Structure formats: C-alpha cells, structure tokens
Amino acid sequence: MASPDDLKFQEFEEAADLLSSNPGASTLSISSPGAAASPGDVRVDLSDDEDNQQESSELLGGEKQTGGFWTFEYYQSFFNVDTTQVLDRIKGSVMPLPGRNFVKHHIRNNPDLYGPFWICVTLVFSVAISGDLYTFLINKGDPEFHYRPQFNKVSIAAVTVFLYAWLVPLGLWGFLTWRQSVERQISGYTFLETVCVYGYSLFIYIPTSILWTIPVYWIEWLLIVIAMVISGSVLVMTFWPAVRDDTRLTAFATMAVIVALHALLAVGFKLYFFKTPTHTGSSHPGQHTTPAANHTTLAVGKPSATN
C-alpha cells in the first residue's frame, strides 16, 4: 500500500530542472481575468468563451429578445402557429368537453391572432353572402321583388364582428384585471389570450350562417340555439375558473353578461341579415291576396211590379 507521504503533492523534478537550465522559457498558464501576468507567460483568456456559453444558455432557456412594437418581429410572434395548432383549436371550439379549459388545453401559453383574424373575416363574408342569398330565396316567388345585391351588409357585418371580437374581450380583460387587483386570489388571462378565446368561439357561426339559408322558420331558431350553446360553453368553461373565487354575485353577473352578449350577437345576425318578410293574407312568402272589395250593386231597370 502507498504510504501517506506518497499521497502528498510533490514537485516535478524534470520541470524544475528545465526551468533552471533555461530561465527565459515561456510558460503556459490559465488564470482568471484580472490576475497579474508575469513576464514570459502566455495566458489563455476564457472570458470570451464564458460570454459565448452565457449567450447559448440564454437561447436554450428561451430568453430571446424581441423588438419594439413598431417592428415587424414584434407582431410576427402573434402569428407563430402552424396548421395543426389552428385546426386543434378550431376542433376544441366546436366540441367543448366539460372540465376542459380552452386556454390550458388548447392555447397552452401560445395565443395567436392568426386563427381569430381569419375566422372573423370568414364570418363577415359568410353572414353577408348567406343573408343576401336568404333574401333572394325567401322572396323568389314574389313578382314585385327585384333582386339587388346588398353590398352594404358586408360593411355592417365587418363592423359588428370585429367590434365584438375586440371590444368585448378588452372590456372583460380590463374587468378581470381590476378584480384581480382587488381580490388577490382571482386568476386572470392576458389580453391576447382573451382575444384568442373569443375569436375561436365565433367559428361555429360560420357553418351555422350557411345553414340559415334554409327557409324553415323553426330550423333557423334551432340552429341559433345550438350555436349559442356550443360557443357559449367555450366561454363559460374558460372564464368561470377566473371568476369563481370572487364574490358569488360578481361571478354570476360576469358570466351572465358574457352569455348575454354572445346570445345578442347570434340573435342580431338572424334578425338583421336573415330577416323573414311578413306577408298578409297568405302563409307562403311571395303570394299576395288582394281583399275583395264590397260593392253595393244598384239594379237599374224597370221597377218591379208590386202586387
């Protein structure tokens, strides 16, 4: 076995002999930055390597810097989604499952504006074109009806949809932020997450607006109820966890306002863009009956003989 003396640090005699024979030889030493250098030493500076390692660790940790709001890179991050993610979020908005929060299960800290923007654009043209087609079909048998394309409905639909998709989430986000500052236990969502939820919740109205062209009164209102239940469920299951820890009155009032505004949008679509004309005297659209005039016929002729 080795003795304790063998385990002690010992000087290398060959290195000492070389230095004594050639005192001016250069030596290689690795030292930390800031240490005093002795003459004839060749030093290796590792400060650049440490900086590079720090930068690489920041990139691996996801700490990447984005430009200001005036740059293209700032807004590019809002559209950083692929087709698979968009389709998964659309599927989650039309098939809501009990207990599945749309933000936690589908957005996953990556909200986007790509899906909500194109959903709103598609809904604008879907409602306007389907409403125009519905007006043509419902008045097809009326000889007094002359079809004229109603392009103004596109502008009205665009203003309605985009104001709802932006102002309502803005108001809800502001209210939840205020309540979060008052009640510490209340959780909240970012403004972008709120807009994302509202945008995807409107997708169900696109196929519904196409089916509204069926000129059957009870089917139209049945489709409205189904669309309101599906899209409203997405909003309720998403925002209820954010307000349930608040006071009971505030929580239920908030959810009632959310559902009422969403229902008002659907009913407004039906009453304005898919308005059923009223006809008197007939149950079939396009058929008019003229009430018969009552005339008193005076018989002019020979007076009847009186017996």
Side-chain angles (χ1 to χ4, degrees), residues 155-200:
S155 302
I156 297 175
V159 172
T160 304
V161 171
F162 278 96
L163 284 181
Y164 176 82
W166 283 93
L167 292 184
V168 175
L170 178 62
L172 179 60
W173 170 77
F175 175 76
L176 293 179
T177 303
W178 171 67
R179 293 303 301 173
Q180 190 176 7
S181 62
V182 175
E183 300 289 340
R184 299 297 181 182
Q185 68 271 17
I186 297 178
S187 59
Y189 303 113
T190 63
F191 174 67
L192 192 58
E193 290 175 343
T194 307
V195 173
C196 187
V197 173
Y198 265 87
Y200 280 102

Side-chain angles (χ1 to χ4, degrees), residues 247-307:
T247 60
R248 182 178 296 272
L249 178 61
T250 303
F252 283 100
T254 303
M255 301 310 301
V257 172
I258 292 175
V259 175
L261 291 177
H262 209 63
L264 182 62
L265 178 68
V267 175
F269 283 157
K270 173 63 179 70
L271 296 180
Y272 182 80
F273 296 96
F274 302 88
K275 183 178 180 181
T276 303
T278 57
H279 301 281
T280 58
S282 176
S283 59
H284 300 282
Q287 297 182 1
H288 299 275
T289 58
T290 304
N294 295 325
H295 300 281
T296 303
T297 304
L298 298 177
V300 180
K302 292 182 181 181
S304 60
T306 56
N307 296 327

